[in-house]
Amino acid sequence: MIPASEPIPLSVLDLVPIAEGGDAATALKQALELARHAERCGYRRYWLAEHHNMDGLACSATAVLIAHIAAHTRTIRVGAGGIMLPNHAPLVVAEQFGTLATLHPGRIELGLGRAPGTDRATMRALRRSLDSRGEEAFPEDVAELIGYLDEARPGAPVRALPGQGTQVPVWLLGSSLYGAQLAAWLGRPYAFAAHFAPDLLEQAAEIYRRTFRPSPVCPHPHLMVGTQVIVADSDAAAQRLFSSTQQRFLGMVRNQRGPLPPPVDDFDALCSPQERRQVDRMLAEAIVGAPHTVRSGLRALVERTQADEIILTGATFDPAARLRSLELAIGCAGPN
C-alpha cells in the first residue's frame, strides 16, 4: 500500500467519448490533447479501452490509436486498458504490440480483458465465427500471447515479428474474481475495473494479493484500481460535470447507447428511484468533488484496497473541464 507520506501514482483511462453534436474526428483530436496534457501533468500512463459498435465511443481500433498517441507524446507510457482478447488471435495482438514496442521502446503496455466488449453480432463480425471457445480459452490465449512476446524459443514454428523478445508488459484486467485469480497465478500486474463494476473490488483485491505467485516480470503483486474521478473548484461544480457520466450510465440501464450528453442541474429528474439506485451502484467508487473532497476519496480508496496506483477516467461534455480536472486530480494525489 502507498504510505500517506508518498504521492499516489495516477494514470488515465480514456474511452474517447464523442459528445453530443460532435464527431469521431473531434473526439480523436481531443484524445491526443488529453494524453499530452496528462504527460505534462505527470501522469504515469495513458491507456485506451477497446469497445466496438458503441455510439458515442471512438476507441474501436485501439492499437491504431495507441500508435497515434505514442507518436505525438514523448515520455508517458501508452497502452491498452484493454485489448479484449476473445475478439482477436493472440498472434495478431503480439505482432501489433510488438511493432508498437519496437517503434516506442519502453513505453508500450498491454492490458488484456476476457469480456468481448461488445454484443454477440459484433463478436461474429470481429472473429467471423463463434466456433472458438472465446472467453473459456482466455488463459490459454494469454499464455500464447505472452509466449510470442518473450525471448525466442528454439524451433518455434510460429513467431511474432516484430514482437519476439520485446517483453511488452502484460497486465490482466477484470471486474470479477476470475481476473484476480488469473493475474495472481501468472504473476502479473492486475487492474480492476471499478469505474463501471465495483461490486467485487475489495474481494478481488484481497484474493489477488493473498494468492499472488511471484514471477520474474512481477516479483510483487501490483494492483491498479480504475475509478471515475472528476475534480472542479467546488463539489457542486464537479457534481454537475459528473451528471454527463450519470446520464451515460442511465442509458446503459435502459439499454440505450449514444453520445455523451451535456450536464444537467438535476439528474434525479431524468430517472426513476430504481434507475437511480442502479446508476449509483455502478458508480459507487466514483470520486467527485472539490480538491479536498477528492484528496480524501483517493486516500480512502487506497487504504481500503491497498492499491499501488489509481487509473482514473471521467469524461466531461466540455473537454476543457476534463483537462482542468486532470490538473486538479494530480494535486489531490500528493502526500498528506
Side-chain angles (χ1 to χ4, degrees):
M1 188 178 74
I2 306 157
S5 60
E6 296 182 7
I8 301 170
L10 293 185
S11 298
V12 175
L13 174 65
D14 192 8
L15 276 62
V16 195
I18 302 172
E20 284 187 13
D23 54 26
T26 301
L28 293 171
K29 179 181 178 181
Q30 290 169 351
L32 178 56
E33 292 173 352
L34 187 73
R36 286 172 164 170
H37 194 66
E39 182 175 71
R40 288 192 296 268
C41 289
Y43 282 82
R44 176 171 288 192
R45 57 187 104 246
Y46 172 90
W47 279 6
L48 294 145
E50 176 188 347
H51 293 280
H52 299 278
N53 195 30
M54 289 191 181
D55 291 336
L57 299 180
C59 52
S60 56
T62 318
V64 176
L65 189 48
I66 288 171
H68 176 64
I69 298 295
H72 291 87
T73 52
R74 298 177 58 191
T75 58
I76 195 168
R77 301 174 192 177
V78 186
I83 291 296
M84 301 297 106
L85 197 50
N87 297 337
H88 311 283
L91 176 61
V92 173
V93 178
E95 290 172 338
Q96 290 174 346
F97 280 79
T99 300
L100 288 168
T102 302
L103 291 169
H104 308 284
R107 294 184 56 210
I108 301 299
E109 299 176 323
L110 173 57
L112 298 174
R114 182 169 68 109
T118 189
D119 56 83
R120 188 172 180 84
T122 308
M123 281 183 64
R124 185 180 299 276
L126 286 165
R127 288 294 291 261
R128 311 310 304 170
S129 170
L130 293 182
D131 294 337
S132 67
R133 291 165 56 209
E135 296 179 36
E136 295 179 8
F138 184 66
E140 292 87 351
D141 285 349
V142 170
E144 180 182 346
L145 174 51
I146 290 173
Y148 290 135
L149 298 172
D150 280 345
E151 296 300 330
R153 294 167 294 169
V158 179
R159 297 172 295 161
L161 300 169
Q164 179 180 287
T166 55
Q167 303 284 354
V168 175
V170 173
W171 292 62
L172 274 295
L173 315 181
S175 58
S176 69
L177 305 184
Y178 180 94
Q181 293 167 333
L182 182 60
W185 176 259
L186 294 175
R188 292 281 166 171
Y190 177 56
F192 188 92
H195 58 290
F196 71 91
D199 290 354
L200 298 175
L201 169 59
E202 293 180 46
Q203 190 176 354
E206 189 277 329
I207 287 175
Y208 172 65
R209 291 196 176 278
R210 175 169 51 82
T211 63
F212 184 82
R213 304 195 315 167
S215 69
V217 297
C218 191
H220 306 286
H222 189 97
L223 172 65
M224 181 163 65
V225 175
T227 190
Q228 303 275 348
V229 175
I230 293 181
V231 199
D233 292 331
S234 68
D235 286 348
Q239 188 60 54
R240 188 174 190 278
L241 293 172
F242 185 55
S243 67
S244 292
T245 294
Q246 290 174 309
Q247 292 176 76
R248 168 69 62 76
F249 276 72
L250 177 60
M252 293 169 60
V253 170
R254 295 173 174 174
N255 197 28
Q256 298 171 349
R257 307 284 181 169
L260 185 71
V264 294
D265 292 322
D266 185 6
F267 173 67
D268 285 337
L270 302 179
C271 57
S272 69
Q274 181 181 3
E275 289 174 328
R276 177 64 194 252
R277 287 192 294 271
Q278 290 177 276
V279 170
D280 287 348
R281 180 177 178 179
M282 290 187 286
L283 295 173
E285 295 294 345
I287 303 171
V288 179
H292 67 276
T293 301
V294 172
R295 176 185 292 271
S296 297
L298 290 173
R299 285 291 167 185
L301 179 59
V302 167
E303 291 174 6
R304 184 158 46 87
T305 62
Q306 298 187 39
D308 298 289
E309 65 180 286
I310 303 294
I311 186 165
L312 58 89
T313 188
T316 61
F317 183 77
D318 178 3
R322 192 174 187 189
L323 299 181
R324 175 63 173 158
S325 180
L326 285 191
E327 290 177 16
L328 294 172
I330 202 76
C332 298
N336 289 336

